[in-house]
């Protein structure tokens, strides 16, 4: 299972995506620049955290990085 959460610079959750299962390899997810309520968020720097849990041995991969939203 895969979870992707987008935070603002203050650490508040902006949007979260939960995907049940993914095959290995490159995958694509498009964020339309809205929050959980569907309201458009402002341009700026955001942090994303992706966590993926292996189905074979229950190991969890977690990575965080910055992203920039430009309108």
């Amino acid at each position: 299972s895969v979870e992707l959460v987008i935070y603002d610079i203050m650490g508040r959750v902006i949007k979260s995506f939960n995907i049940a299962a993914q095959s290995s390899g490159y995958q694509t997810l498009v964020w339309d620049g809205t929050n959980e309520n569907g309201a458009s968020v402002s341009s700026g720097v955001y942090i994303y955290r992706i966590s993926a849990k292996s189905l074979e041995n229950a190991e969890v991969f977690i990575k965080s990085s910055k992203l920039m939203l430009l309108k």
Side-chain angles (χ1 to χ4, degrees):
S1 61
V2 178
E3 179 184 39
L4 184 120
V5 182
I6 300 173
Y7 301 92
D8 65 8
I9 203 70
M10 299 298 289
R12 296 177 294 229
V13 174
I14 300 299
K15 184 87 171 195
S16 61
F17 300 93
N18 291 310
I19 300 107
Q22 291 287 315
S23 59
S24 61
Y26 290 98
Q27 304 295 329
T28 302
L29 177 77
V30 177
W31 175 42
D32 60 0
T34 60
N35 62 14
E36 293 286 355
N37 299 323
S40 182
V41 297
S42 61
S43 296
V45 177
Y46 293 87
I47 307 294
Y48 73 86
R49 186 184 76 190
I50 185 167
S51 61
K53 184 176 181 181
S54 172
L55 296 175
E56 292 179 0
N57 55 12
E59 287 186 27
V60 178
F61 168 81
I62 299 174
K63 179 180 179 178
S64 297
S65 188
K66 292 188 287 187
L67 67 92
M68 184 176 288
L69 176 64
L70 300 173
K71 294 183 179 182

